[in-house]
Amino acid sequence: MNIEMYASWQEMEITITENNITIKSDVLKRDVECTLLMPEDGEMSEPLNLLLLNDGQEAENLLLKETLQNLASNNRIKPVLVVAIHAGDERLLEYGTAGKPDFKKRGIKAGLYTAFIKSELLPAITKLTGIEQFNSTAYAGFSLGGLSALDISWNNPELFDKAGVFSGSFWWRSKDLAKGYTEGDRIMHSIVRNTAAKPNIKIWLQTGTKDETSDRNKNGIIDSIDDTVDLIKELENKGFTRPNDVQYLEMVGGSHNTETWGKAMPKFLIWAFGR
């Protein structure tokens, strides 16, 4: 897929270098770099899919290009354009849940990050590709970036039909553990519980048995697994079903790192864009 033909439009200040674009964001007041991983021209005989990926600066460590090429060459996935969004210096402020920062005020700019995705990045992708409507549009991320991807997808199902969360930060809470915290203070769980209507999205979740060592409730299960399983329960209470609406991968020995997430990536890509 050749994007050079689109390099001349200037409605938004964008720099294009090889397979990277840099957007001068008015919303975030910073330059946002994105790595573009594009299908080969020979794969473009059918509708194109789109994947936005938080923490896109980790694409190389995830071996994402190699994974996409391998799956495509073996006819395992449909054509997909990946836009890997590099995190900025204020990652802990921009990622999270829009309008609901945690007890340390992390995520206070998550609403602005959502606005950047909707009002600047997606229109830029449309301009770059000339595609108004992708066959499927997914959003994924890792750790806090996974929480961000789910929050944005959950609240914008007209834009995204799938969300992928690798080792999601579902501990994200409104109260300190030492200040009377209860499990009801987990923010994403509360968002799901208090949403009036079930969003029309599908969700893929992954954890590793070595994601962390913390065990708040001393039940012998690490918090990342407990928090993810509890979120699935909230989703089921909202009308989501397994495996049709929600899929969960628990990796024995999996850690909170790009090596584990890279190993899980083929399963996610096949789930999201498989043939």
Side-chain angles (χ1 to χ4, degrees):
M1 179 180 180
N2 187 349
I3 65 169
E4 296 304 319
M5 68 185 72
Y6 300 105
S8 63
W9 63 272
Q10 294 294 329
E11 292 179 15
M12 186 183 305
E13 190 170 340
I14 292 183
T15 303
I16 301 177
T17 56
E18 295 184 358
N19 289 329
N20 278 39
I21 63 170
T22 301
I23 300 174
K24 190 172 185 65
S25 172
D26 289 334
V27 174
L28 295 177
K29 308 302 181 187
R30 69 175 179 90
D31 290 348
V32 183
E33 184 178 355
C34 301
T35 298
L36 304 184
L37 298 173
M38 296 164 283
E40 299 295 332
D41 289 340
E43 300 171 35
M44 298 302 294
S45 60
E46 57 186 299
L48 185 64
N49 299 277
L50 174 66
L51 170 62
L52 301 189
L53 191 67
N54 281 337
D55 281 316
Q57 72 279 358
E58 300 291 351
E60 186 172 343
N61 292 330
L62 291 160
L63 301 178
L64 184 56
K65 181 178 180 179
E66 294 83 351
T67 297
L68 288 163
Q69 290 175 338
N70 179 60
L71 292 174
S73 65
N74 287 290
N75 206 32
R76 301 295 304 279
I77 59 172
K78 301 170 184 176
V80 56
L81 165 63
V82 179
V83 179
I85 312 156
H86 296 208
D89 293 338
E90 294 188 317
R91 177 181 183 275
L92 292 178
L93 300 181
E94 292 179 357
Y95 286 176
T97 47
K100 298 180 184 298
D102 85 334
F103 68 99
K104 288 187 176 181
K105 303 303 179 186
R106 293 170 292 196
I108 200 164
K109 293 187 176 182
L112 292 175
Y113 187 71
T114 300
F116 160 74
I117 297 295
K118 294 172 63 176
S119 67
E120 294 182 328
L121 181 60
L122 288 176
I125 294 169
T126 296
K127 293 285 188 178
L128 285 167
T129 62
I131 299 173
E132 292 283 348
Q133 184 70 43
F134 289 89
N135 185 54
S136 175
T137 300
Y139 201 158
F142 316 94
S143 191
L144 189 54
L147 174 66
S148 168
L150 178 58
D151 180 64
I152 293 172
S153 302
W154 182 268
N155 288 296
N156 297 279
E158 74 284 1
L159 299 176
F160 303 97
D161 52 76
K162 300 182 184 77
V165 185
F166 298 73
S167 299
S169 297
F170 296 134
W171 57 266
W172 193 249
R173 54 185 178 266
S174 57
K175 191 176 294 184
D176 193 337
L177 293 177
K179 301 287 180 64
Y181 165 85
T182 70
E183 291 184 346
D185 294 313
R186 291 175 297 187
I187 295 173
M188 194 67 223
H189 298 71
S190 178
I191 289 172
V192 171
R193 189 164 51 250
N194 294 322
T195 298
K198 171 182 175 291
N200 187 26
I201 62 172
K202 296 183 184 298
I203 301 170
W204 186 94
L205 304 165
Q206 175 269 334
T207 62
T209 58
K210 293 185 178 180
D211 257 335
E212 60 178 335
T213 58
S214 299
D215 180 10
R216 292 186 308 263
N217 58 7
K218 311 300 181 186
N219 68 344
I221 302 172
I222 59 173
D223 292 340
S224 61
I225 292 177
D226 261 347
D227 292 337
T228 302
V229 170
D230 286 350
L231 184 69
I232 292 171
K233 293 176 182 176
E234 294 288 358
L235 291 168
E236 289 176 327
N237 289 339
K238 192 57 61 178
F240 286 77
T241 60
R242 296 175 65 186
N244 186 50
D245 299 320
V246 179
Q247 289 211 14
Y248 173 50
L249 172 64
E250 189 173 297
M251 298 179 66
V252 176
S255 300
H256 201 87
N257 57 31
T258 53
E259 181 181 0
T260 294
W261 300 330
K263 289 177 180 177
M265 184 61 70
K267 294 182 183 295
F268 165 70
L269 291 171
I270 292 170
W271 169 82
F273 308 112
R275 294 192 179 278

